[in-house]
Amino acid sequence: ANRFFTGMTGDLSAGGLFVATDTPLVVGTELVLSFVLPDGYRVATDAAVAWVRAPRYRPDELPAGMGVRFERLGDADRHAIEHFLRDRPPFRYGD
């Protein structure tokens, strides 16, 4: 069954990203991921859910969601992500 799923990303690296959601997919779920970098470049790649964080029960806990690992990321997409990361300081929860 194909489903369209949207979520907010809280972190991005060259290997994947975090999607904040109270309804994460099961670890190992394969998906086609598409997102737009701030400069307007659209990345599209196969991906898989690598890990899941349960919904938070206290305000000081990290947000619920899932870590998604890029699979077969194209060279142009990898270059665009690396360029974005070079120009942006790392994101850390709690800063």
Side-chain angles (χ1 to χ4, degrees), residues 32-35 41-46 70-74 77:
V32 176
L33 184 68
S34 177
F35 60 95
Y41 183 88
R42 179 176 297 276
V43 175
T45 184
D46 292 339
F70 301 142
E71 306 281 345
R72 296 177 290 282
L73 187 65
D77 289 345

Side-chain angles (χ1 to χ4, degrees), residues 14-33:
L17 54 76
F18 174 74
V19 178
T21 174
D22 286 333
T23 56
L25 301 171
V26 176
V27 170
T29 301
E30 296 179 347
L31 50 113
V32 176
L33 184 68

